[in-house]
Amino acid sequence: MIRNVIGSILALVGATAAVWSPFRGWYDGRHGRDYRIQDPFGGITPNDGALFTSLLLPMAFAALVTLVGLLLRSRFMVALAGVIVLGFTVLWMVRQGQEVGSLAVGGGGDGLGLGVALALGGGVLLLLAAALMSGRGTLRQRREEPYDEEPQGQSTAGDWGPYGQDPDGPVPYRDRDADTASYPRYEEPEAPPRPSRFRRR
């Protein structure tokens, strides 16, 4: 339970950082929302894209996957959201490096900006949250364990023999025929011998 709570908090922080990252500078002061969604695949261009066709789109989609994963307690979906954020960020860094020759990290709006750091950090937090969460299967197993286990040293009702006899106790009809062992027959005692009518003199 505690692991799910901590994992959920980390996942929400990571998703928030990923969605916020396009509104910060990514390289040379250019915001992530100014890069088109196809730039990481076809190459970086100076053309600005619309808000919902920029890098905000994969980040928002990853945040949506994160929310669904938290509602379903799915570690896979939270990890998938982290892979989406990190994948687009790393792919963009590769294309940006090919465009400018080499990536630089500097202050004053030069080089890689805060937006890239937020995206990378958000993706790492999402993967860490998926690793901390226990998931639905483990939680269900923990709930069923107390009902599945039987007390040691005690026999269940189905293990008792006929007439409520303990199978571990003495069996009074062990020597009888196997066909009649479960339904013992009670025989009448033999009558004492009758006295003879003729007495000896």
Side-chain angles (χ1 to χ4, degrees):
M1 183 65 180
I2 298 178
R3 293 177 58 184
N4 279 332
V5 172
I6 297 176
S8 299
I9 295 174
L10 291 179
L12 290 176
V13 173
T16 303
V19 174
W20 188 29
S21 65
F23 298 95
R24 309 299 298 178
W26 277 54
Y27 197 82
D28 286 344
R30 188 180 181 185
H31 289 185
R33 65 190 180 194
D34 296 330
Y35 292 94
R36 299 180 304 171
I37 186 64
Q38 60 266 30
D39 285 355
F41 301 97
I44 304 298
T45 63
N47 300 327
D48 294 341
L51 180 61
F52 293 103
T53 58
S54 65
L55 292 181
L56 176 63
L57 181 61
M59 303 303 172
F61 178 73
L64 179 61
V65 173
T66 301
L67 293 178
V68 176
L70 292 179
L71 291 176
L72 299 178
R73 293 178 182 175
S74 173
R75 300 174 60 185
F76 172 76
M77 296 192 69
V78 176
L80 177 63
V83 171
I84 293 174
V85 174
L86 290 178
F88 270 89
T89 305
V90 172
L91 185 59
W92 173 88
M93 293 176 65
V94 171
R95 293 300 186 183
Q96 184 66 39
Q98 294 175 350
E99 178 68 20
V100 299
S102 63
L103 294 178
V105 180
D110 298 332
L112 295 175
L114 180 61
V116 178
L118 287 173
L120 292 176
V124 172
L125 286 178
L126 289 171
L127 294 180
L128 182 59
L132 286 177
M133 292 174 61
S134 58
R136 293 185 63 182
T138 305
L139 182 61
R140 185 184 301 111
Q141 182 179 1
R142 290 178 180 175
R143 290 179 178 175
E144 294 177 355
E145 279 180 358
Y147 301 95
D148 294 337
E149 294 180 355
E150 296 180 357
Q152 297 181 358
Q154 298 182 5
S155 301
T156 58
D159 296 336
W160 289 75
Y163 306 101
Q165 296 175 355
D166 188 353
D168 297 330
V171 182
Y173 310 105
R174 190 183 300 275
D175 298 333
R176 291 186 177 274
D177 187 13
D179 297 334
T180 60
S182 58
Y183 303 96
R185 294 179 298 178
Y186 297 93
E187 299 178 357
E188 297 182 358
E190 297 181 359
R194 301 177 62 182
S196 176
R197 295 181 179 179
F198 301 96
R199 296 181 179 179
R200 295 180 182 180
R201 295 180 179 179

